[in-house]
Amino acid sequence: MKAHMEGQCMHRPVPCPYESVGCVVQLRCKDLGQHLQEGAFMHLAAVWAETREKTTHLEARTEAVAAQIWALSSNALVEEIVKLKQVVEAQAKTMGVVQKELGESKSQLKQLLGETKLAGCKLDTKVSVNDWKAACSEIKELRTDLKNASQKIIELQKNALN
């Protein structure tokens, strides 16, 4: 009997296939076709209402996720800009120190050259000149790094605004 009721019995109770959208009619298997025909509009309205509710929910979630993505990407850009500004400031400070040291070295070199000329001595200045050239080269590199970092900051700021 149990196998009969769970199998092909037309008198077994069955739920409406639209139970998940609110149809609570309890019926027998033999009445299911008629119920589906007679309740087509009601079932369609229930499916439409559920679809609309889920769509509204998904749209709200999509907007929330988009806002989170924008916030995260904006925060990342701001953090990158702050880091680059710190790098630029550090490089500018280093460049200032190097320029000051270079100026002092140049003054000392001129003074030393003047003193040796007065004393009638010859001075091998290749080492000092090479040091001075290396310092000039380092300043050029720092200027290039500073320029590149400034351009990167401008680019990131533009991206953050778009």
Side-chain angles (χ1 to χ4, degrees), residues 55-115:
T55 300
T56 301
H57 175 73
L58 287 174
E59 286 171 350
R61 285 295 302 142
T62 300
E63 288 176 17
V65 168
Q68 288 175 339
I69 289 171
W70 171 251
L72 290 173
S73 64
S74 294
N75 287 341
L77 286 173
V78 168
E79 288 174 8
E80 187 67 23
I81 289 169
V82 168
K83 287 177 186 176
L84 283 172
K85 281 185 177 181
Q86 291 170 345
V87 168
V88 167
E89 289 169 358
Q91 288 178 342
K93 186 176 180 179
T94 301
M95 193 166 81
V97 169
V98 169
Q99 284 179 331
K100 182 180 177 185
E101 290 174 357
L102 182 60
E104 291 171 0
S105 296
K106 190 175 180 182
S107 296
Q108 290 172 356
L109 182 59
K110 283 182 179 180
Q111 182 182 358
L112 185 59
L113 285 172
E115 290 173 2

Side-chain angles (χ1 to χ4, degrees), residues 100-150:
K100 182 180 177 185
E101 290 174 357
L102 182 60
E104 291 171 0
S105 296
K106 190 175 180 182
S107 296
Q108 290 172 356
L109 182 59
K110 283 182 179 180
Q111 182 182 358
L112 185 59
L113 285 172
E115 290 173 2
T116 56
K117 284 182 184 177
L118 287 175
C121 301
K122 287 189 174 183
L123 179 66
D124 182 12
T125 58
K126 287 183 181 178
V127 173
S128 297
V129 170
N130 287 338
D131 288 345
W132 186 73
K133 285 180 180 177
C136 287
S137 176
E138 186 176 339
I139 287 174
K140 285 180 183 176
E141 287 178 22
L142 285 170
R143 283 184 179 156
T144 301
D145 290 346
L146 185 60
K147 181 181 175 183
N148 291 340
S150 294

